[in-house]
Amino acid sequence: MHTNRRAIVAILLIAGLSGAAAAQTPGPAAPASPAPKLAAAYKVEPVVENLEVPWAIVFDPAGRMLFTERPGRVRVFESGKLRPEPLLTVPDIQVRRGGEIGLMGICLHPDYASNKLLYLAYGHTDGDVR
């Protein structure tokens, strides 16, 4: 009985692989369709300038934009202006900088409106991401 189960499993695997291979066999190519035409032109307008590698953005319940800059700053843009001072600067001894590493992610706690907690992800100088 145990041998029969192995045989049935082997047959099902072979049948399944055969069906998958048949499904991947290329058929006749579909005719190329022309590129869609855009209904409206796009316009790029800078909102904040002179930043140092902005990385991640979140919006709080009050509509403020909070974002990270890779060197270790959390910045706030509100009422059409960038606050001159960062909300938080992660100490240099903690943030490893360079390449694709530094202060990266930011997200708000689910109950941010009442507790004001936010979470950051950054490359630590010991090589870990925290």
Side-chain angles (χ1 to χ4, degrees):
M1 182 75 173
H2 193 63
T3 304
N4 288 341
R5 285 186 186 167
R6 286 186 183 166
I8 292 170
V9 169
I11 291 169
L12 291 174
L13 282 173
I14 291 169
L17 292 174
S18 300
Q24 293 178 4
T25 304
S33 59
K37 294 183 180 180
L38 298 177
Y42 291 94
K43 183 178 178 183
V44 177
E45 294 184 33
V47 176
V48 183
E49 296 182 311
N50 301 317
L51 301 175
E52 195 170 349
V53 194
W55 200 271
I57 301 170
V58 294
F59 292 88
D60 74 4
R64 294 178 296 202
M65 180 172 68
L66 308 173
F67 61 94
T68 60
E69 287 183 288
R70 191 164 48 193
R73 292 180 294 273
V74 176
R75 305 295 303 268
V76 179
F77 181 80
E78 63 183 332
S79 303
K81 293 184 179 186
L82 179 66
R83 282 190 187 171
E85 296 300 318
L87 177 66
L88 171 76
T89 301
V90 180
D92 286 344
I93 59 168
Q94 291 183 325
V95 177
R96 190 174 109 214
R97 294 171 176 82
E100 295 290 315
I101 200 76
L103 179 55
M104 299 172 288
I106 183 172
C107 67
L108 304 178
H109 184 279
D111 197 22
Y112 176 84
S114 64
N115 67 21
K116 302 297 186 234
L117 293 175
L118 54 91
Y119 300 96
L120 303 172
Y122 61 93
H124 193 274
T125 53
D126 67 7
D128 289 338
V129 173
R130 297 189 180 176

